[in-house]
């Protein structure tokens, strides 16, 4: 058989979106006047021209199969003139210029099994990583954790009863691709990597593995007469960064890979400057297929936030106001030595005052 | 021919509950799709996933796969348990660059779906955390076939590996009254200028562009982008006093005090006796809070532009970093303005490529060499907006003080 003739790629890069944009949005680009939130999951934007665009937002399973993708397209064809938009949290949005179409659109979305919501003060769709379905270093699944959690948070997605929006993220390792969140559920490795010395020399580019370690705990070594690597286990922070360039340094562990929960991450500049998330709980079992312990804890934090925060306070702002000591009391979590930062610049997180809450 | 389906009791449990189930969707590809190849691939994928759930470990490893002419853009995945699950032993993800702002027509989505049906597993995500359309699961040969197919009708790969990555931008001016910049233009101009660096990984590590139209930063540029472009304005914010008074009448003065006036981070707001709003624009930091509360009455000013923050990134390996203000304000109006934005990105990437260690993000390099060295390297003068506060440590050599002070006043006089 003849080899296929190869052709040079056409390097078009990022496509121009105007050709794919709803005509009302294209016409009023940069000339929008205000928006309203008529009901959960629905936005109404009004342009200076008087034109309107109604958006209906829906949550999906994110990992879409072709049947689901085509079902989403059918809804778009039937109601939204064949135009859709995706949000940063993988929700789909349908836009219609005529408000009278909204009810029918919502019904079609819900009848097809998708969930309308995710706007304003809701718990929005959890942004997440690939997990066991596709990642090369996942300590847990991501789609499964998110599916289990959204089953229980579905009413918070559909409604807008939180003091402000809540962004939840999950990451299946400490590299934290899922991102900073008001609440973040991340895998925490708790043991140094287990090294298969027979394979290291053949598979791993040793200098780049050494360079990858954030705490210089890895050094070259000869083991059983073969070039390998060794880990100073006292220094090791179990981050797992050595694993991708060197799979024989197995970091995942059925028993010792745990989940940890972090709160207060927020990338918006509204009111305060953007913030990073802080550790609140660890040692949570990595318990497939439904991860009930992690979900229960997230719900506990959400309940305390909902009851305690003022309007517009994000989770982190609420904690800043009531203080971390009271936060730990409210959510009935232990405060341990592991909550005290020991990274560079940690002193900035220490309380150098007698500002104390009793 | 009927396939022997793997027994999947654990992941089957993810089919219960009201949220749409990805397992149910994947099973449909196994059970109902007419193509036997897809049925088999997806069956073994489900088998491996169940195996992961049972043993609490992942079984994919990376490798090197790309398409002809490129060096990256594919996330190669080879199964470590291919003996048990041979049909999904190669299960690469193809990263495809979405249109700026993530707008699609169903026609295009169907066209992409048809191609993926021919060459892939039928699983796709809009979008991965870097912003790509993720076509999940095909083998090495079909990776090329799929790419050739979609490249013919206008789609291109995104970045993977040490390269300029796929960019992201918020919906912005397409639908949002807060937009202060043409997000799509900024997005495409920046990333498409570096197309060669997207497709042929040769940089110290990844480099990401993200664009948000205002300080709400819906795109999460400040935390996730090496080069964050965030819209803002520098004249007075616009107040429609009649609309504002209507809001006060509707919600009451107490509500307005609690939710608007006292929430202003710089105390730049006051409620007048006639229920109109008084704004001290000199103190306003454009945080967006009051505009978010009353979007009908409050809007960005007319003198719009962007703030550019450099060096944001995720955790690996020195901890998460926010982008640092490197350009407090830049107009993006004339073609010259836009050209200078691109030139600045070129300058930064070039300096970083020359000075970073292997696997070092731009923000980590800045932390290692210091912000001043970075600014000197890219030819940008220091500005008080770049810091929260001046230095505290007295251990510093200052014999160039007089020249620096003189240069500062000379710049001021020029401006």
């Amino acid at each position: 058989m003849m080899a296929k003739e190869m052709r040079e790629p056409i390097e078009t890069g990022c496509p121009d979106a105007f050709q794919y944009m709803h005509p009302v949005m294209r016409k009023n680009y940069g000339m929008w006047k205000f928006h309203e939130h008529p009901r959960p999951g629905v936005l109404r934007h009004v342009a200076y021209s008087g034109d309107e665009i109604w958006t209906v937002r829906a949550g999906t399973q994110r990992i879409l199969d072709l049947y689901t993708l085509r079902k989403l397209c059918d809804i778009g064809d039937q109601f939204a003139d064949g135009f859709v938009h995706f949000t940063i949290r993988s929700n789909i949005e349908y836009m219609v210029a005529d408000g009278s179409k909204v009810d029918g659109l919502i019904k079609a979305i819900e009848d097809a099994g998708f969930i309308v919501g995710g706007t304003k003060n809701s718990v929005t769709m959890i942004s997440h990583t690939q997990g066991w379905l596709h990642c090369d270093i996942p300590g847990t699944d991501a789609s499964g954790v998110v599916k289990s959690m959204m089953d229980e948070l579905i009413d918070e997605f559909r409604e807008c009863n939180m003091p402000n929006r809540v962004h939840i993220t999950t990451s299946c390792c400490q590299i934290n691709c899922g991102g900073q969140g008001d609440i973040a559920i991340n895998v925490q490795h708790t043991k140094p990597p287990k090294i298969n010395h027979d394979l290291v020399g053949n598979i791993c580019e040793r200098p780049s593995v050494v360079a990858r370690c954030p705490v210089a705990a890895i050094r070259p070594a000869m083991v059983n007469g073969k070039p390998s690597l060794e880990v100073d286990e006292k220094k090791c922070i179990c981050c797992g960064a050595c694993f991708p360039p060197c799979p024989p340094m197995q970091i995942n562990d059925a028993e010792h890979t745990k989940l940890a929960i972090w709160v207060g991450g927020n990338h918006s500049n509204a009111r305060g400057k953007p913030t990073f998330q802080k550790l609140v709980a660890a040692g949570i079992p990595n318990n497939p297929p439904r991860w009930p312990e992690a979900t229960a804890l997230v719900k506990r934090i959400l309940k305390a936030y909902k009851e305690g925060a003022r309007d517009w306070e994000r989770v982190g702002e609420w904690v800043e106001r009531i203080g971390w000591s009271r936060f730990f009391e409210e959510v009935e979590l232990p405060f341990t030595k592991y909550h005290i930062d020991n990274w560079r610049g940690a002193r900035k997180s220490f309380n150098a005052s007698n500002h104390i809450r009793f | 021919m009927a396939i022997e389906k793997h027994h999947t009791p654990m992941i089957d449990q993810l089919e219960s509950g009201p949220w749409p189930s990805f397992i149910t969707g994947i099973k449909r590809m196994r059970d109902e799709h007419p193509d036997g190849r897809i049925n088999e691939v997806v069956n073994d994928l489900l088998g491996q996933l169940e195996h992961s759930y049972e043993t609490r470990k992942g079984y994919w490893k990376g490798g090197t796969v790309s398409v002809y002419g490129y060096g990256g853009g594919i996330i190669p995945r080879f199964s470590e348990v291919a003996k048990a699950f041979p049909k999904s032993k190669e299960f690469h993800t193809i990263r495809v660059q979405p249109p700026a702002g993530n707008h699609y027509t169903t026609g295009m989505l169907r066209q992409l779906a048809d191609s993926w049906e021919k060459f892939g597993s039928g699983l796709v995500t809009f979008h991965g955390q870097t912003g790509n359309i993720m076509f999940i699961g095909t083998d090495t040969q079909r990776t090329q076939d799929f790419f050739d197919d979609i490249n013919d009708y206008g789609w291109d790969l995104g970045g993977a590996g040490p390269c300029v990555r796929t960019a992201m931008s918020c919906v912005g001016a397409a639908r949002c009254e807060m937009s202060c910049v043409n997000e799509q233009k900024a997005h495409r101009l920046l990333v498409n200028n570096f197309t060669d660096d997207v497709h042929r990984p040769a940089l110290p590590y990844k480099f990401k562009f993200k664009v948000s139209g205002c300080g709400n930063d819906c795109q999460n540029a400040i935390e996730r982008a090496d080069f964050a472009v965030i819209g803002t304005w520098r004249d007075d914010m616009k107040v429609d006093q009649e609309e504002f008074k209507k809001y006060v009448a509707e919600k009451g003065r107490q509500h307005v005090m609690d939710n608007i006036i006292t929430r202003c981070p710089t105390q730049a707001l006051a409620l007048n006796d006639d229920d109109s709003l008084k704004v001290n624009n000199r103190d306003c930091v454009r945080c967006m809070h009051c505009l978010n509360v009353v979007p009908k009455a409050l809007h960005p000013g007319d003198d719009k532009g962007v703030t550019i923050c450099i060096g944001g990134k995720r955790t690996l390996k020195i901890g998460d970093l926010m982008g640092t203000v490197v350009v407090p304000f830049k107009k993006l109006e004339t073609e010259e303005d836009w050209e200078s934005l691109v030139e600045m990105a070129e300058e930064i990437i070039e300096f970083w490529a020359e000075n970073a260690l292997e696997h070092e993000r731009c923000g980590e390099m800045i932390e290692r060499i210091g912000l001043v060295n970075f600014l000197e390297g890219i030819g940008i003068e220091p500005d008080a907006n770049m810091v929260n506060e001046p230095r505290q440590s007295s251990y510093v050599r200052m014999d160039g003080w007089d020249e620096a002070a003189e240069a500062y006043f000379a710049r001021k006089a020029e401006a």
Side-chain angles (χ1 to χ4, degrees):
Chain A
M1 197 176 85
M2 285 271 287
K4 184 178 161 183
E5 195 175 327
M6 307 304 280
R7 69 152 174 79
E8 291 293 330
I10 308 158
E11 299 198 48
T12 47
C14 171
D16 184 351
F18 285 99
Q19 56 188 323
Y20 309 131
M21 196 183 289
H22 191 286
V24 173
M25 287 158 75
R26 202 184 309 150
K27 178 186 158 204
N28 295 284
Y29 191 83
M31 293 180 288
W32 293 96
K33 191 176 176 196
F34 68 92
H35 80 278
E36 291 177 329
H37 185 249
R39 53 167 285 189
V42 181
L43 302 168
R44 172 178 171 256
H45 286 83
V46 179
Y48 283 103
S49 67
D51 290 349
E52 293 184 0
I53 197 94
W54 294 69
T55 300
V56 179
R57 182 177 296 172
T60 71
Q61 57 269 61
R62 188 172 183 270
I63 308 282
L64 304 175
D65 58 279
L66 291 176
Y67 288 101
T68 305
L69 179 59
R70 286 178 177 139
K71 201 181 334 174
L72 290 167
C73 288
D74 290 343
I75 297 170
D77 288 341
Q78 200 185 339
F79 290 90
D81 307 316
F83 295 93
V84 302
H85 171 253
F86 286 92
T87 70
I88 184 177
R89 310 186 81 76
S90 298
N91 296 305
I92 192 165
E93 292 184 333
Y94 296 100
M95 283 72 58
V96 294
D98 173 2
S100 68
K101 282 175 155 181
V102 168
D103 287 344
L105 172 56
I106 289 174
K107 186 171 183 308
I109 292 170
E110 289 179 340
D111 286 349
F114 305 110
I115 317 297
V116 172
T119 50
K120 217 179 176 197
N121 294 356
S122 62
V123 174
T124 57
M125 173 60 178
I126 301 176
S127 71
H128 67 90
T129 53
Q130 298 278 38
W132 286 328
L133 192 72
H134 208 258
C135 181
D136 63 343
I137 33 169
T140 190
D141 199 23
S143 317
V145 173
V146 169
K147 154 68 180 160
S148 308
M149 221 164 256
M150 289 312 287
D151 275 343
E152 298 208 29
L153 298 177
I154 189 166
D155 288 341
E156 307 298 350
F157 180 87
R158 282 184 175 133
E159 293 156 16
C160 303
N161 295 329
M162 290 289 158
N164 200 341
R165 71 196 57 204
V166 180
H167 287 168
I168 302 184
T169 68
T170 72
S171 292
C172 47
C173 83
Q174 280 158 250
I175 292 171
N176 195 21
C177 300
Q180 295 277 337
D182 290 291
I183 303 177
I185 303 101
N186 296 347
V187 153
Q188 191 81 23
H189 299 299
T190 62
K191 297 284 181 202
K194 285 181 196 150
I195 306 179
N196 184 339
H197 292 290
D198 291 336
L199 299 178
V200 170
N202 291 335
I203 293 177
C204 315
E205 200 184 320
R206 295 190 302 156
S208 67
V209 183
V210 169
R212 194 75 63 99
C213 179
V215 292
I218 302 175
R219 51 185 173 244
M222 292 294 285
V223 181
N224 305 327
K226 286 183 184 168
S228 186
L229 295 163
E230 65 183 10
V231 172
D232 182 339
E233 298 206 346
K234 275 192 184 148
K235 271 192 186 172
C236 176
I237 51 165
C238 311
C239 72
C242 51
F243 181 69
C246 189
M249 301 187 75
Q250 179 57 257
I251 187 75
N252 290 310
D253 181 292
E255 188 189 343
H256 298 293
T257 296
K258 303 285 190 184
L259 303 184
I261 293 186
W262 308 68
V263 308
N266 171 22
H267 53 84
S268 166
N269 288 269
R271 297 170 301 286
K273 293 185 177 182
T275 52
F276 290 130
Q277 61 205 18
K278 293 98 186 165
L279 175 70
V280 296
I284 302 158
N286 183 18
N287 201 359
R290 301 288 307 190
W291 294 270
E293 300 86 354
T295 301
L297 196 41
V298 167
K299 286 171 80 176
R300 219 156 88 200
I301 294 167
L302 281 172
K303 182 167 178 284
Y305 164 67
K306 193 171 172 179
E307 285 169 2
R310 294 176 183 162
D311 288 349
W312 294 97
E313 275 180 339
R314 294 282 289 262
V315 173
E317 293 171 286
W318 161 62
V319 182
E320 284 298 317
R321 178 170 56 78
I322 66 168
W324 285 98
S325 57
R326 203 166 107 214
F327 170 83
F328 281 95
E329 281 168 31
E330 297 261 333
V331 294
E332 294 174 22
L333 286 169
F335 183 84
T336 70
K337 65 180 179 181
Y338 297 102
H339 290 97
I340 299 174
D341 202 350
N342 62 351
W343 197 244
R344 66 176 78 165
R347 263 200 111 81
K348 285 203 167 146
S349 67
F350 303 162
N351 181 11
S353 75
N354 77 335
H355 293 195
I356 308 283
R357 286 176 171 87
F358 296 109
Chain B
M1 192 183 76
I3 52 170
E4 196 179 326
K5 292 175 192 170
H6 294 289
H7 185 50
T8 54
M10 286 187 89
I11 56 175
D12 290 352
Q13 292 181 53
L14 291 169
E15 294 194 85
S16 63
W19 193 263
S21 169
F22 68 108
I23 295 294
T24 304
I26 298 175
K27 279 190 180 172
R28 256 189 105 180
M29 298 303 293
R30 178 191 68 185
D31 299 336
E32 294 176 31
H33 198 276
D35 186 340
R37 179 188 63 82
I38 287 182
N39 305 149
E40 288 184 337
V41 166
V42 167
N43 182 43
D44 274 4
L45 174 77
L46 288 166
Q48 176 169 333
L49 188 60
E50 176 75 13
H51 184 55
S52 277
Y53 271 62
E54 282 166 3
T55 56
R56 302 186 193 194
K57 276 191 189 176
Y59 295 97
W60 298 109
K61 62 183 175 196
T64 310
V65 175
S66 191
V67 298
Y68 182 73
Y70 287 177
I74 315 291
I75 310 293
R77 286 294 176 257
F78 297 92
S79 173
E80 293 179 317
V81 285
K83 269 191 191 153
F85 311 105
K87 299 291 182 189
S88 58
K89 71 177 177 187
E90 290 184 13
F91 204 70
H92 316 315
T93 280
I94 299 165
R95 286 186 168 175
V96 174
Q97 287 198 57
N102 295 339
H103 301 274
Y104 297 88
T105 60
T106 51
M108 285 159 30
L109 291 174
R110 288 182 195 282
Q111 196 175 16
L112 287 167
D114 292 346
S115 295
W116 191 229
E117 192 157 47
K118 274 191 275 178
F119 301 114
S121 70
L123 305 182
V124 56
T125 292
F126 294 88
H127 305 83
Q129 296 293 320
T130 298
N132 297 284
I133 314 170
M134 306 285 270
F135 290 91
I136 309 169
T138 193
D139 57 28
T140 306
Q141 177 52 47
R142 287 187 177 90
T143 297
Q144 183 72 51
D145 295 338
F146 176 72
F147 173 70
D148 288 345
D149 212 40
I150 64 166
N151 190 232
D152 273 342
Y153 55 78
W155 295 87
D156 200 357
L157 294 191
C163 63
V164 170
R165 295 290 183 90
T166 296
M168 295 173 90
S169 49
C170 66
V171 69
R175 198 185 59 197
C176 182
E177 69 272 18
M178 304 304 177
S179 168
C180 295
V181 57
N182 184 341
E183 297 87 359
Q184 310 219 21
K185 182 165 181 177
H187 174 153
R188 293 189 69 231
L189 205 60
L190 284 168
V191 76
N192 285 349
N193 183 66
F194 295 97
T195 297
D196 188 47
D197 290 301
V198 172
H199 294 139
R200 294 168 192 90
L203 293 171
Y205 196 17
K206 63 183 90 163
F207 193 95
K208 296 186 178 184
F209 292 104
K210 293 194 200 297
V211 186
S212 278
C214 78
N216 284 322
D217 193 4
C218 290
Q219 200 49 65
N220 201 352
I222 198 152
E223 281 177 350
R224 305 205 67 143
D226 302 271
F227 193 112
V229 179
I230 301 175
T232 190
W233 67 96
R234 63 181 170 185
D235 56 343
D236 293 356
M237 67 187 261
K238 289 192 207 162
V239 183
D240 180 335
Q241 295 291 5
E242 291 316 305
E243 278 295 341
F244 193 83
K245 286 181 190 177
K246 270 193 224 166
Y247 184 82
V248 182
E250 188 193 330
K251 297 281 187 174
R253 291 178 68 88
Q254 182 69 49
H255 171 94
V256 171
M257 291 303 290
D258 288 349
N259 287 289
I260 302 174
I261 309 299
T262 59
R263 305 306 303 273
C264 174
T266 53
Q267 298 170 43
L269 301 177
L271 185 61
N272 291 318
D273 285 343
D274 67 350
D275 288 351
S276 61
L277 183 72
K278 187 171 159 187
V279 184
N280 176 353
N281 280 285
R282 278 301 292 278
D283 283 349
C284 174
V285 290
R286 286 96 184 146
C287 87
M288 299 302 297
H289 171 75
C290 59
L291 285 78
N292 292 340
V293 180
V294 204
K296 253 185 175 171
L298 309 178
H299 292 108
D302 291 318
D303 190 9
K304 294 178 168 112
V306 296
T307 300
I308 296 171
C309 296
I310 303 295
K313 58 171 278 290
R314 284 269 78 76
T315 313
L316 184 69
K317 70 183 192 180
I318 65 166
D320 292 49
L321 301 177
M322 297 280 180
T324 297
V325 172
V326 165
V327 179
F329 187 84
K330 179 170 178 55
K331 281 299 271 186
L332 286 176
E333 244 169 32
T334 63
E335 280 316 302
E336 253 179 21
D337 293 339
W338 288 102
E339 273 169 32
S340 69
L341 176 76
V342 172
E343 279 164 17
M344 184 188 156
E346 285 172 348
E347 192 85 28
I348 288 176
I349 289 180
E350 200 173 307
F351 180 79
W352 166 66
E354 275 176 20
N355 291 281
L357 306 174
E358 192 199 318
H359 211 257
E360 187 175 56
R361 294 284 290 271
C362 189
E364 291 169 322
M365 177 196 71
I366 293 172
E367 168 139 335
R368 181 171 53 79
I369 67 173
L371 180 61
V372 170
N373 282 329
F374 174 69
L375 294 173
E376 284 175 356
I378 61 169
I380 287 184
E381 300 294 342
D383 184 300
N385 285 301
M386 294 172 180
V387 296
N388 288 323
E389 57 189 29
R391 79 160 46 241
Q392 294 184 9
S393 164
S394 57
Y395 285 171
V396 55
R397 189 171 154 167
M398 292 200 263
D399 41 5
W401 173 272
D402 289 344
E403 292 83 347
E406 218 169 280
Y408 171 83
F409 286 115
R411 284 201 306 276
K412 279 277 166 194
E414 235 173 68

